[in-house]
Amino acid sequence: MGEGIDMGNEFEGHWTRYYIYAGAAFFSFFVLLPLYVLIIIALGAPNQTVAAYYPALLPTKFTLSNFINAFRGTGTLLESAFLKSLETAFIVAVIAILLGYHAAFGLSKLPFKISSLIIGVLFFSTMIPSITIAIPISETFLRLGLYDSSLGLALAQELLVLPLTIFILSGTLDAVPKQLEQQARVDGASFIRALYQVIFPLAVPGIVSAFLLSWLMSWDEFTFAIILSPVHPTLPILIYLDASARGNVLTAASFSLLVTIPVIVLTIILSKFIRAGYLTSGITG
Amino acid sequence: MILPAVIYVLYLAFYPAVDAVYQSFHTLHGGLTLYNYDFVNSIFGKSPIYNTFVVTASALALQFAFALILASLLSKPFKGRAAFSALFLIPFGVATIVTGVIFHNIFSTYGGYANSFLRVIGMHPVNWTGSYITSLFVLILADSWKNTPIVTLILLAGMTSISPNLYNQAMVDGAGTFQRFFRITLPNLKGFIAIALMIRGVSEFNIFAMALLLYPYQLLTTMTYALYDTINAHPAYAGGTILLAFVLIFAAIIMTYRGKYGRGY
């Protein structure tokens, strides 16, 4: 893209540059503002934040007591919710890679017409509203004993994650040279060895980003979680209950900050891997 | 090798969806009936449908306006672009419910930061949750904060696929910034706009967690959740079926639009 746009700058002059910086500053401000509010509520003294009629925009007193109280009050609840979210997200990501890698490999072998039909069906499934299918699934899970369990929740959340994982991995596998597999077979490697020892290592970047993205989506998921696992909630549900029904705004803010920090780190790592092509390949393909 | 994934999706997504539609026309005792729909209608009326449309349309408008500006910024080279492109993605990673909690605190009528700010600049506080328009504003602002990055990524992919030669040619011919945007950028983006509309529009119909926290009126999702009951789920099936029907109609419209104009990329 370099050449053409450099030429463009000669035409447009430095005014455009000012607009760009003004725009970038404007958007940065609005991206960061809500995060700033979360931090000052979680770490500020309550009489300057939630207990004030007009909370201070620049609080002067800070404390860790919100966190300490949040842990003390619902310590065991938080721990079990954290573990449940963690467990569910890992099951979701592992199943996504297991099923997704094989499906993507299979798709890369099929004629274009059939593979795009299958991708179309998968994409269509992501359009079905979660809440519509969560209700019949909850009845089935009640019968099967999967209701309120991490495994059951993970199986449902898998639906949102699996199509996206297959899109990402198909894109990755398409980039692996076809001759490589043939070469391996010619050299006497079995199909299984070619699949796991030749192609798999080359697909690792795509697998890592698919894994992280599945993990993130499960960590964030709300609809299935509130319907399929209301008794032993995951973290998002716990935060929702604290913020609404129980009215523990400070607890909700502290938990929110805890949930957000690792996820922001992950997002910044992921920003190097995320390509819009992953999201659009299902429809353009 | 593809079969496990496809069977999984068919069994866990399509089967329950068909089941929900089927059950919505039956009662607990199994008779065929429209009673569930009458029941939903008698409690909620048509307003959840209307509200869902208003929220979807206004949230999409706001996100696309922001995303177009952001994507145009990011398609140009400038110092600090790498840092900015990591920063603008941050909301994508913040959990939906966390976004809801934050905006709930900013826009609460008592003890909210928005009113604090209004007082500092000498204006009257606003009862944010008190009227239809202000609560709609709060909901779509929160939703757009979280979801604009994903729209931006898709539109950016579209913008980088447009040949720079087109722009250079237009500049030589004396086309201004706005002319280039409306005559070159937008027409070439049509296919990508359709994709982003599809992805975001469908999720916008399903907006749920944020609406529970921020929006005091009923949407199709919150209505279905309010109807949900493990003893008699049949009214909730009716709610879910109405939601499903609207999502499918929306998707069909976008698909037709894409089929008409979206070729050629």
Side-chain angles (χ1 to χ4, degrees):
Chain A
M1 68 196 280
E3 212 179 318
I5 284 170
D6 287 340
M7 219 173 112
N9 281 333
E10 279 170 39
F11 278 93
E12 289 172 69
H14 54 271
W15 272 111
T16 318
R17 193 144 300 188
Y18 289 136
Y19 284 129
I20 289 175
Y21 283 116
F26 175 85
F27 280 107
S28 304
F29 179 73
F30 278 102
V31 165
L32 295 176
L33 193 63
L35 295 174
Y36 167 75
V37 169
L38 176 62
I39 291 168
I40 61 176
I41 294 176
L43 295 175
N47 64 354
Q48 288 190 335
T49 58
V50 291
Y53 196 87
Y54 289 109
L57 296 177
L58 298 165
T60 47
K61 280 181 268 172
F62 293 95
T63 171
L64 280 176
S65 65
N66 301 334
F67 272 92
I68 295 164
N69 290 337
F71 281 103
R72 193 179 288 150
T74 47
T76 49
L77 253 181
L78 172 74
E79 203 183 305
S80 74
F82 183 80
L83 287 178
K84 180 144 190 172
S85 279
L86 211 61
E87 199 177 64
T88 311
F90 271 108
I91 300 174
V92 167
V94 167
I95 298 180
I97 299 301
L98 274 181
L99 289 179
Y101 177 67
H102 295 101
F105 186 78
L107 281 176
S108 70
K109 294 272 169 278
L110 284 176
F112 178 73
K113 272 212 164 144
I114 301 173
S115 68
S116 58
L117 180 76
I118 292 175
I119 284 183
V121 170
L122 289 175
F123 181 73
F124 188 70
S125 75
T126 61
M127 297 194 317
I128 298 175
S130 301
I131 199 157
T132 307
I133 52 175
I135 295 169
I137 290 177
S138 78
E139 294 208 323
T140 315
F141 279 6
L142 270 171
R143 263 185 276 124
L144 295 177
L146 283 170
Y147 192 70
D148 214 44
S149 71
S150 301
L151 179 64
L153 181 57
L155 289 176
Q157 290 180 345
E158 194 62 44
L159 284 174
L160 306 170
V161 171
L162 191 58
L164 191 66
T165 309
I166 296 176
F167 301 156
I168 294 177
L169 292 178
S170 302
T172 314
L173 289 183
D174 280 345
V176 175
K178 291 271 175 289
Q179 292 94 322
L180 216 66
E181 191 201 339
Q182 287 159 5
Q183 195 67 53
R185 298 298 300 278
V186 169
D187 290 348
S190 66
F191 172 69
I192 302 287
R193 269 193 73 168
L195 183 59
Y196 296 113
Q197 293 189 339
V198 179
I199 300 172
F200 192 85
L202 291 168
V204 162
I207 288 170
V208 170
S209 44
F211 187 91
L212 291 180
L213 207 60
S214 321
W215 197 93
L216 265 182
M217 283 173 77
S218 165
W219 186 251
D220 178 21
E221 207 278 332
F222 187 85
T223 312
F224 281 128
I226 201 169
I227 290 185
L228 297 180
S229 182
V231 186
H232 296 95
T234 57
L235 267 178
I237 309 301
L238 190 65
I239 292 171
Y240 166 68
L241 293 175
D242 274 316
S244 62
R246 295 188 197 132
N248 301 330
V249 183
L250 284 172
T251 311
S254 310
F255 289 171
S256 297
L257 195 61
L258 281 183
V259 172
T260 305
I261 291 169
V263 169
I264 287 182
V265 175
L266 264 185
T267 310
I268 292 173
I269 298 172
L270 254 178
S271 72
K272 295 204 186 345
F273 294 107
I274 294 180
R275 301 278 175 275
Y278 292 164
L279 300 165
T280 55
S281 62
I283 321 165
T284 49
Chain B
M1 285 168 85
I2 316 165
L3 277 179
V6 173
I7 291 172
Y8 189 102
V9 168
L10 288 179
Y11 186 70
L12 258 116
F14 287 88
Y15 174 67
V18 173
D19 189 38
V21 175
Y22 176 81
Q23 299 282 353
S24 74
F25 290 105
H26 289 75
T27 59
L28 265 184
H29 311 292
L32 190 67
T33 178
L34 282 175
Y35 167 75
N36 297 315
Y37 290 93
D38 287 338
F39 180 73
V40 172
N41 193 19
S42 69
I43 297 182
F44 295 102
K46 306 281 183 292
S47 69
I49 299 176
Y50 172 78
N51 292 340
T52 302
F53 268 98
V54 172
V55 167
T56 303
S58 29
L60 285 178
L62 197 65
Q63 282 165 34
F64 274 77
F66 283 151
L68 272 175
I69 301 172
L70 263 170
S72 329
L73 282 179
L74 285 163
S75 68
K76 299 194 171 62
F78 62 93
K79 227 184 196 171
R81 186 175 68 166
F84 183 61
S85 57
L87 183 125
F88 96 96
L89 257 183
I90 288 176
F92 171 72
V94 176
T96 313
I97 194 68
V98 172
T99 312
V101 168
I102 297 172
F103 278 79
H104 189 63
N105 280 302
I106 295 179
F107 288 104
S108 43
T109 304
Y110 304 109
Y113 284 84
N115 280 345
S116 234
F117 175 73
L118 286 180
R119 196 178 71 139
V120 169
I121 60 168
M123 286 167 70
H124 287 291
V126 174
N127 182 2
W128 295 104
T129 47
S131 78
Y132 190 82
I133 288 293
T134 48
S135 41
L136 175 71
F137 170 77
V138 173
L139 178 65
I140 65 169
L141 200 67
D143 186 64
S144 302
W145 185 78
K146 157 97 179 130
N147 292 312
T148 300
I150 210 83
V151 184
T152 308
L153 277 182
I154 297 172
L155 297 186
L156 185 62
M159 284 188 186
T160 45
S161 76
I162 301 172
S163 157
N165 288 335
L166 274 177
Y167 288 102
N168 292 332
Q169 202 74 56
M171 272 186 277
V172 170
D173 292 344
T177 311
F178 282 97
Q179 238 180 335
R180 277 178 315 206
F181 180 76
F182 284 107
R183 294 282 168 82
I184 301 175
T185 311
L186 271 189
N188 281 295
L189 274 182
K190 264 182 183 157
F192 288 86
I193 290 177
I195 291 167
L197 257 184
M198 187 84 151
I199 292 176
R200 278 313 312 155
V202 169
S203 334
E204 220 60 69
F205 268 108
N206 287 314
I207 186 167
F208 178 55
M210 272 188 208
L212 276 183
L213 267 183
L214 297 175
Y215 194 68
Y217 305 92
Q218 294 288 350
L219 299 172
L220 286 171
T221 47
T222 49
M223 176 188 85
T224 307
Y225 181 62
L227 289 165
Y228 175 55
D229 178 344
T230 41
I231 315 268
N232 179 5
H234 289 268
Y237 284 134
T241 304
I242 300 172
L243 176 64
L244 178 67
F246 278 109
V247 169
L248 294 185
I249 293 170
F250 175 80
I253 293 172
I254 302 286
M255 284 303 228
T256 325
Y257 160 85
R258 186 177 163 257
K260 256 191 200 157
Y261 306 104
R263 299 240 165 85
Y265 63 89

